[in-house]
Amino acid sequence: MSNLYGSIEAGGTKFVCAVGNDALMILESATFPTDKPEETLQKVIDFFKKFEGTLVAISVGSFGPIDIDKKSKTYGFVTTTPKPHWGNFDMIGFLKAQLDLPMFFTTDVNASAYGEKILDQSLNSLVYFTIGTGIGAGAIQDEDFIGGISHAEMGHMFVKRHPEDLDFAGVCPYHGDCLEGVAAGPSLEARTGVRGEAISLTSTVWDIQAYYIAQAAVSATLTLRPEKIIFGGGVMAQEHMMTRVRTQFTALLNDYVPVPDLAAYLQIPAIANNASATVGNFALAKREYDKAN
């Protein structure tokens, strides 16, 4: 029987677990709400125990911040997250206590970025942003994630304020008006009192939000010079948003450096429903198993 690989996409709202084969195809999946750590992870463990004997490695793409430094005493921990009960929790340790398998540990956005890289083998570099309840980003150069002492936290970069948005304090509990504070999904309701899906498409709030997201794309362009920037997450699932972001990006970059055609350069994920992380996790789990053997 062929080897199977596990994917855990650990989100602040739900955990998506899946088992795949060497072709990186999903054979079975399950979703659990993100409750207290022990309760949530026990459901995850019970799901994977059904595949004992054929499951050979797991990759975890988690909400953060997380500790990915294998030399650190807190490797495998979720660290300073505002998510109740999850701060400074040893996720990998808890999983390994019952699932004695090689495990790769990274951020959810890194897993998504890797999935996009796997799906487009012509790419040597890319940046992947998730614009949803929070904002995160992962970057890949060749086969490596960009990062030094830890993973990137581009969702908390500081941005220039939109002239019509100067009085909005932002929603980030750490920085107020960083990128996440002014452009993540909750910022829409905080400004308007209305959830994003109920806001009229003619509202100026969409162009304000696109202005900040476009700044993230300009910053990624100027610092990393990737071949492609991909925007996932619930906010960018709305078709009008990519058009707005491309328009703002063009104005902000102002032809300073050449970039590919924007329809190819600024894109939504290749897989619907932000499922790139599952493909990325399968590939990372397979890579971890190959290293261990």
Side-chain angles (χ1 to χ4, degrees), residues 2-5 19-27 282 286:
S2 62
N3 291 335
L4 300 181
Y5 306 95
V19 169
N21 56 20
D22 280 309
L24 310 182
M25 304 222 11
I26 297 173
L27 302 180
F282 287 158
K286 186 175 187 300

Side-chain angles (χ1 to χ4, degrees), residues 221-254:
T221 296
L222 298 178
T223 56
L224 299 173
R225 299 297 277 138
E227 295 167 271
K228 183 180 291 187
I229 300 175
I230 299 165
F231 288 99
V235 171
M236 297 305 296
Q238 304 181 70
E239 292 183 11
H240 67 97
M241 279 303 295
M242 186 56 77
T243 299
R244 295 175 194 267
V245 169
R246 287 171 178 154
T247 298
Q248 298 275 12
F249 176 88
T250 298
L252 289 168
L253 189 62
N254 198 27

